[in-house]
Amino acid sequence: RPPRSTLFPYTTLFRSGLKDYNWRFFIMNTRERYARFHLILCQRFPNAKLELNYRNAFELFVALLLSARCSDKLVNQRTYELFTRFKTFQEIVEADQSDIKRYLKDITFADDKAVHLIKSAQIITERHNGEVPENVNMLLQLPGVGRKTANLLLSELYNIPSIAVDTHVSRVSKRLGLTKRETELMVEKDLMNIIPKDEWVVSTRQFMLWGRYICKFNNPDCERCPANSLCETIHPISVLPDTPMLPFA
């Protein structure tokens, strides 16, 4: 049987005589499901943080822009040399595209990212005095910056609570039944309604790591997953063996 703290409002069902209720397929709403998953996340990734290497706002911006559809490991390898050559947005502005691209070997969409990096650096230098904007709408106006990158910049640089939805966050959220939305924006909105605001930042990092190392896209190890009892993919809430579908009080 689940802990007492997770039973409300289902205790009314138990008190009404359903003592043989199949607690293995206990129906939880999304907030309860997240709360229990959050405990598991904190045990597995108590100090979750971004795996991109950076020392300042400039380096974080560049690393995040390059990380789109590319592994953090490869980005860290390429930025190690890139940051020895370029240390400010102004230096990026003054560089040629070919000069930047030669540091982006094997980075996906290297040509596009080099162009985006130069154009974004120009805007940041000319309009924001070389500082990364502290506003999501201003960030989204920069070439190559989407909502995930914008939200990560706000939370990492300015401690502004935000939820950054990447492919890992989206996949884990859907498999757990926290959302059924398709777009990143709608997934973000659903998670904002489920996750307490003071947990937005740490949960984003934990979801990313969970999806990267445990709930993988290909061949997830569901049988040994510590959260498989909460996973709607394994236990769809619409299928409750030996359990009647009753209205909740």
Side-chain angles (χ1 to χ4, degrees):
R1 186 185 303 174
R4 183 185 300 272
S5 61
T6 66
L7 298 184
F8 181 82
Y10 312 107
T11 49
T12 54
L13 295 177
F14 184 76
R15 290 170 182 169
S16 65
L18 294 179
K19 296 184 179 181
D20 58 344
Y21 192 79
N22 190 340
W23 292 106
R24 175 178 173 81
F25 294 92
F26 178 72
I27 301 178
M28 293 173 285
N29 65 37
T30 52
R31 287 190 177 91
E32 291 169 333
R33 191 182 297 270
Y34 163 74
R36 298 180 67 178
F37 183 51
H38 181 63
L39 295 177
I40 299 173
L41 287 174
C42 289
Q43 292 177 347
R44 189 61 180 263
F45 302 111
N47 301 306
K49 61 181 181 179
L50 293 182
E51 295 188 315
L52 292 171
N53 297 332
Y54 72 94
R55 295 168 295 186
N56 51 51
F58 164 74
E59 292 186 356
L60 176 61
F61 182 90
V62 173
L64 284 173
L65 192 148
L66 297 180
S67 68
R69 300 191 179 277
C70 190
S71 70
D72 289 356
K73 181 179 180 180
L74 178 59
V75 171
N76 287 334
Q77 293 173 352
R78 297 297 173 259
T79 54
Y80 179 80
E81 296 183 355
L82 182 67
F83 293 153
T84 62
R85 169 64 177 82
F86 302 101
K87 295 181 173 58
T88 65
F89 287 111
Q90 184 60 46
E91 292 182 358
I92 293 290
V93 173
E94 297 171 353
D96 294 328
Q97 179 180 341
S98 59
D99 191 19
I100 294 177
K101 185 183 174 183
R102 70 188 186 91
Y103 291 96
L104 307 184
K105 182 180 179 182
D106 298 327
I107 294 289
T108 55
F109 309 111
D111 288 326
D112 292 338
K113 290 178 179 178
V115 173
H116 291 161
L117 184 55
I118 294 174
K119 290 183 177 179
S120 292
Q122 290 174 338
I123 295 174
I124 292 174
T125 301
E126 296 172 1
R127 302 181 189 177
H128 305 289
N129 298 316
E131 300 292 334
V132 175
E134 195 175 344
N135 178 281
V136 65
N137 293 322
M138 292 182 178
L139 286 169
L140 292 175
Q141 293 175 6
L142 301 175
V145 175
R147 288 198 65 84
K148 181 202 78 171
T149 297
N151 285 335
L152 285 174
L153 287 168
L154 292 176
S155 61
E156 286 288 313
L157 299 179
Y158 304 113
N159 295 318
I160 297 177
S162 58
I163 293 178
V165 178
D166 67 354
T167 181
H168 301 300
V169 175
S170 179
R171 179 174 65 256
V172 172
S173 299
K174 291 175 183 177
R175 287 179 176 175
L176 283 172
L178 301 180
T179 182
K180 296 184 182 297
R181 310 290 189 123
E182 293 301 324
T183 67
E184 292 182 355
L185 177 59
M186 297 309 296
V187 171
E188 178 186 335
K189 289 183 177 180
D190 281 350
L191 293 180
M192 289 173 68
N193 288 327
I194 296 169
I195 302 174
K197 191 172 183 178
D198 61 351
E199 296 176 6
W200 285 0
V201 175
V202 65
S203 290
T204 293
R205 311 300 185 266
Q206 291 171 332
F207 272 57
M208 288 179 176
L209 295 177
W210 191 271
R212 184 171 296 160
Y213 297 111
I214 299 176
C215 191
K216 301 177 182 179
F217 177 77
N218 292 317
N219 301 319
D221 191 359
C222 297
E223 292 186 1
R224 294 191 295 178
C225 174
N228 61 11
S229 63
L230 303 175
C231 184
E232 186 177 316
T233 303
I234 300 177
H235 306 299
I237 60 174
S238 59
V239 180
L240 297 174
D242 304 321
T243 304
M245 291 297 291
L246 299 175
F248 294 133

